Every structure is written in C-alpha cells, then in structure tokens.
Amino acid sequence: MSAPQRPQPRPGVLSIQAYVPGKSTAAGVAKVFKLSSNESPLGASPKAIAAYRERAGELHDYPDGAATALREAIGKAYGLDPSRIVCGAGSDDLINLIARAYLADGDEAIHTTHGFLMYPIATLGAGAVPVVAPETDYTADVDAILAKVTAKTKIVFVANPNNPTGTYLPFDEIKRLHSGLPPHVLLVLDAAYAEYVQRNDYEAGIELVATSENVLMLRTFSKIHGLAALRVGWIYGPAAVIDAMNRIRGPFNVNAPAIAAGVAAIGDAAHLETSVAFNSKWLAWLTKEIGQLGLTVTPSVANFLLIHFPDTKGRTAADADAFLSSRGLVLRRVAAYHLPNALRMSVGSEEANHLVVAALKEFLGK
Ligand SMILES: *Cc1c(COP(=O)(O)O)cnc(C)c1O
C-alpha cells in the first residue's frame, strides 16, 4: 500500500457529522426570537455581568489555570470538595476531554437513541465506537443500556434530563444503572439542566459520585446561569478521574472573565431562584397550551420541550419550522437526533411564548 498523498485524520474523524448549532436568524425577519439553543430568557445575573466587565482591564494576564476561585465557589454552593472539581470551556470541552482520557481505538461508548449529539462526536473523535441503546417513550432505558455493555465498553453517557427530549431518569433508576455496570466503565451523568428539575425523585449525581469510583457529574453555566457565551462547565468526580482530567486539559482552559462571572453567578441565589420559578411557570403553560392545540408534547422537566407534528403534508415539523421562522420564531429541528417530525422549543420570554402558541394555532388552522 502506498503512503497517502496528504495528511489523514485518525480513523473516526471523517465519520463525524459536525454539530450544527441552533439557528439564530430567520430570512427576511428583523425581530427574531431565538428559541433554538436552550438559552436563558432572563439572561445572566447582573452581578455576573458586572464581574465580567471588571476584568476588561486585565486581559493581558493569564487566568488562574486551576480556576481556584470558581471551584471554591461551586464547592461552597453545593457542599463539595473543590479538589474533586475540574472546570472547562463549557461542558462540550469536558465531554471531549473525558473521551480522550478514557477511550482508546476500538473501545465502545454507549449513548441513547435521542441522546445529546456531543457524545457520538467525542467518541468518534477519540477513535472509539459509539453504541446506541434504544429508548422507551423518549426516555433512557436502563435495561437497554445494560444490554449494550460489552468487554469493550468504557463509558456510558446519560444526559439527565436529556436534551432534546426533556425526559429524566429518577435517582433509583440511575442507581440501578450504576450497579449493573462493571467497575471499569465510567458513568457520565450530564446534568446540564439539573437546576430546572422540580421532581422529588431526581438527583443530579452528587450522591453517586461521592460514593463511587466510576461516576462523574457534568454541569454547565450555559443554561440556568445564562453564561453560554463565556463557555464554562465543570465536572465533579472521583479523585482519580479529576487527576486524569487535570493532566489532559488545557492549562488555561477557562478564561479569567469567565471565572469571575461564574463566581458571581453561582453566588446570586436570588437570580437563580427567579430563573427556576420563571421556567416552571412557562414550561407548564406551554405544555398545556400546545397540547390543547392537538400536538403531542413530550413531558419535560428542563427548559425546553419537544413538540411532535403529524406526518400530514403541510403539517409536518419542517412545515411548522418554515411557518414559525417566517414570523421570527426560531425553534430547533431535531432530525439529527432521529426525531424528523419534532421541533424542540426553548422556554422563551413571556412575549415569545405567547407568539409561538398563537402562531402554532394559525399554522394548524385553528
Ligand atoms: C447545553 C448542554 C450542555 C452544555 O454545553 P456547554 O458546552 O456547557 O455550553 C451539555 N450537555 C447537554 C445535554 C446540553 O444540552
């Protein structure tokens, strides 16, 4: 075999379907309501914005590579040991680092049918094989995941709640999943939407991480904290996992204004509370109103909902997307998540939520 005539990416890289972010524009529409990326309609805490601005004069200095102030603030807020936390440039960054640290060529990482797309992307990028476990009622299925475990399995990724379905697994089910896994399989609990969940049987992962060697919890400042632009996420994990992450991560992977804004955001309990209450109110309202239009809405515990459309010509998800976009209402197509006939809608401002319901009514001819 002759040598290739140009550099070749490692096997797997060219099998990746690049992640397509939610649209933020609509052709020919001046005022756009972006409901495609699960961003916070209330924005960041004013204290976080002020802390970010205060760093403007110090852009020549490297950040604290260990993000000490942020890890301490997170530790204080959740009662966690800061030495068991590692921060990253968004949880997307951390998902890639986890894959690079724990997957070798030919290993397998499991995710579920409608699981977050970053899992197969990171898995392929690490030269490993993504294995898909089927879901039941748009919800991760513990037995189906366990049935996919082989000698090659190294990671199980579960978003809880999951994006784009909005469904969740109760803590009992997460514990059952964990106890069915061999000890060398890393269970990644991605709790990007944990703060929104109002269910007594939910636990983001803290308890399981504290008591096991093979579970880590991923969190982000992009959703409830409204800091998506800054790219800040974190891991709480066993000491050995944190050690591996600290070896493989970029030495300055979280920037200084992001660290400062994160510290202020997590300290602003009032803003957090307001954001949770706002979401609970409008999530319930949207679920009820859209359901009353005759569309099926998957019950969500997060800050978005999955709306299913009929197959009928003129009434499909693609048709609805075009109709809504023409009115500046930008939702998310989720065909890449094997949901060709659904749209994901982020809970928006009061105005945006009303506009979507009114537009859907018009779209359905009601
Ligand atoms: C939005 C989201 C994240 C957060 O990504 P960031 O890189 O931190 O912005 C992580 N996991 C899931 C499932 C998400 O939906």
Side-chain angles (χ1 to χ4, degrees), residues 288-300:
K288 179 170 99 343
E289 293 286 326
I290 296 171
Q292 281 173 0
L293 297 176
L295 296 171
T296 304
V297 178
T298 299
S300 169

Side-chain angles (χ1 to χ4, degrees), residues 19 21-25 32-44 163 192-193 196 220-231 271 275 278-279 282 286 302-305 330-332 344-350 352-353:
Y19 187 86
K23 287 184 293 176
S24 51
T25 56
V32 166
F33 296 87
K34 187 182 178 203
L35 305 169
S36 58
S37 297
N38 301 344
E39 293 146 338
S40 173
L42 301 189
N163 169 17
Y193 301 96
Y196 292 108
T220 182
F221 281 82
S222 297
K223 305 288 158 54
I224 193 101
H225 293 295
L227 295 177
L230 292 186
R231 320 301 308 125
H271 185 73
S275 303
F278 180 92
N279 188 71
W282 289 102
L286 286 164
N303 68 336
F304 55 86
L305 22 90
V330 178
L331 278 60
R332 180 63 166 267
R344 189 193 69 195
M345 173 190 180
S346 309
V347 172
S349 64
E350 175 169 357
N353 297 336

